């Protein structure tokens, strides 16, 4: 990886453009009997493979896809996998919070499969998760079942457990009812009830032990009103630090979408 290349391309070389160019591949992976769709970004072949690989987990409902971060990671020399969860942006099935972890596990196991890692030059010893918002919660919940995951970055993570603990249920329901209109769901009430009956299991502070033994990056947005860091990320950081975990905590003067203020 070359971190300095995050915001610039390799020098143009007409003689090798076909051989060296980055590429994008459409993906279709099965999770819970449903086809979920996305893409894989393959870096410039002037990087020597196999490549470290980052699997992205999008937030609710997936408007913010973090494409800028994905392209930066590709330019640095990573394979980047972006998939749309069940019920989101054309993927089959219905969107439910309890499906998110299983979707991510299916994607990670697919990428770690020897046939796939060879096909896309993935380094199976260097697979990482990055999750934003609801995706931040998802990467924490999925890591326990995937010992091969090298590291986890959670960005402005939304914690369903904290939402109910701190009486933010109305905000959650309104988010589902308004923003969730682009998702495939039976009703906003069903998705809300899925959170209500499962938030103890999904709460990130209840699952911090999933991250122990992994490299961890926690990124907070100081002015985040959707997932306030004091309620949803700082408690996680404190538990990780108390457990002696390898965690780096970074805060930006930004809102939930990391628009700098």
């Amino acid at each position: 990886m070359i971190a300095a290349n995050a915001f610039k391309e390799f020098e143009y070389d007409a003689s090798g453009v076909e051989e060296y160019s980055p590429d994008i591949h459409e993906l279709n992976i099965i999770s819970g009997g449903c086809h979920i769709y996305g893409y894989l970004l393959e870096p410039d072949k002037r990087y020597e493979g196999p490549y470290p690989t980052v699997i992205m987990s999008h937030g609710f409902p997936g408007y913010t896809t973090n494409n800028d971060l994905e392209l930066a990671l590709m330019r640095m020399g990573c394979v980047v996998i972006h998939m749309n969860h069940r019920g989101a942006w054309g993927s089959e099935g219905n969107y439910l919070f309890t499906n998110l972890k299983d979707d991510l596990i299916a994607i990670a196991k697919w990428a770690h499969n020897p046939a796939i890692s060879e096909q896309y030059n993935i380094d199976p010893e260097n697979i990482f998760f990055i999750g934003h918002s609801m995706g931040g919660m998802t990467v924490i919940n999925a890591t326990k079942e995937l010992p091969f995951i090298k590291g986890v970055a959670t960005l402005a993570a939304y914690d369903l457990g904290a939402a109910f603990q701190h009486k933010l249920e109305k905000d959650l329901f309104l988010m589902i009812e308004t923003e969730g209109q682009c998702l495939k769901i039976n009703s906003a009430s069903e998705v809300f009830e899925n959170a209500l009956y499962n938030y103890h299991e999904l709460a990130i502070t209840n699952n911090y032990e999933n991250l122990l033994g992994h490299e961890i990056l926690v990124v907070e947005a100081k002015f985040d009103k959707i997932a306030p860091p004091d309620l949803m990320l700082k408690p996680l950081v404190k538990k990780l630090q108390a457990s002696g975990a390898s965690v780096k905590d970074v805060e930006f003067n930004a809102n939930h979408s990391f628009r700098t203020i």
Side-chain angles (χ1 to χ4, degrees):
M1 287 179 60
I2 302 177
N5 282 359
F7 303 105
K8 66 177 183 180
E9 307 287 350
F10 273 103
E11 296 266 343
Y12 175 71
D13 179 0
S15 64
V17 65
E18 292 295 330
E19 179 182 356
Y20 293 127
S21 292
D23 208 349
I24 183 169
H25 305 275
E26 298 82 8
L27 297 182
N28 177 352
I29 297 172
I30 303 296
S31 175
C34 299
H35 293 268
I36 57 175
Y37 305 114
Y39 54 81
L40 179 148
L41 301 177
E42 191 176 0
D44 192 296
K45 310 311 178 296
R46 280 170 281 189
Y47 286 110
E48 184 178 353
Y51 307 119
T53 297
V54 177
I55 301 173
M56 308 291 294
S57 181
H58 67 76
F60 181 92
Y63 291 133
T64 303
T65 56
N66 306 111
N67 295 128
D68 52 347
L69 178 57
E70 293 173 358
L71 292 171
L73 288 164
M74 181 194 73
R75 288 191 291 264
M76 290 166 60
C78 295
V79 165
V80 181
I81 297 171
H82 175 106
M83 300 298 298
N84 298 312
H85 287 287
R86 270 178 273 178
W89 305 105
S91 289
E92 292 181 348
N94 282 3
Y95 186 96
L96 291 171
F97 296 117
T98 48
N99 287 341
L100 302 179
K101 179 185 77 169
D102 292 340
D103 291 346
L104 190 57
I105 290 171
I107 296 161
K109 287 182 176 179
W110 174 87
H112 192 252
N113 182 290
I116 297 300
S117 59
E118 181 178 350
Q119 179 179 355
Y120 294 108
N121 217 358
I122 290 169
D123 182 354
E125 302 300 319
N126 282 287
I127 298 177
F128 300 82
F129 279 155
I130 297 180
H132 172 247
S133 191
M134 204 69 74
M137 180 186 73
T138 303
V139 299
I140 293 170
N141 288 329
T143 299
K144 180 180 181 180
E145 299 184 38
L146 302 166
F148 58 81
I149 294 297
K150 183 70 172 291
V152 177
T154 179
L155 286 60
Y158 190 95
D159 183 3
L160 285 173
F164 285 94
Q165 178 185 353
H166 296 284
K167 310 300 182 185
L168 301 177
E169 300 99 320
K170 290 182 180 179
D171 294 332
L172 175 62
F173 181 79
L174 288 174
M175 180 176 71
I176 295 168
E177 188 176 45
T178 56
E179 296 182 35
Q181 291 182 21
C182 63
L183 300 174
K184 184 181 177 184
I185 60 176
N186 289 326
S187 68
S189 295
E190 180 186 65
V191 178
F192 178 80
E193 288 175 2
N194 181 251
L196 175 63
Y197 298 140
N198 295 281
Y199 74 84
H200 289 289
E201 176 187 349
L202 299 174
I204 60 176
T205 49
N206 292 343
N207 290 294
Y208 75 97
E209 292 180 344
N210 295 1
L211 301 177
L212 302 182
H214 300 273
E215 297 294 321
I216 310 158
L217 173 63
V218 175
V219 183
E220 302 178 25
K222 184 176 181 179
F223 303 108
D224 190 344
K225 294 182 179 179
I226 296 173
D230 287 345
L231 304 182
M232 298 195 176
L233 267 180
K234 290 190 185 300
L236 171 69
V237 171
K238 289 178 180 177
K239 285 197 171 187
L240 289 170
Q241 291 173 337
S243 299
S246 176
V247 57
K248 184 180 176 81
D249 182 25
V250 179
E251 182 180 72
F252 288 99
N253 292 325
N255 63 12
H256 188 66
S257 298
F258 287 97
R259 183 178 64 83
T260 304
I261 295 176

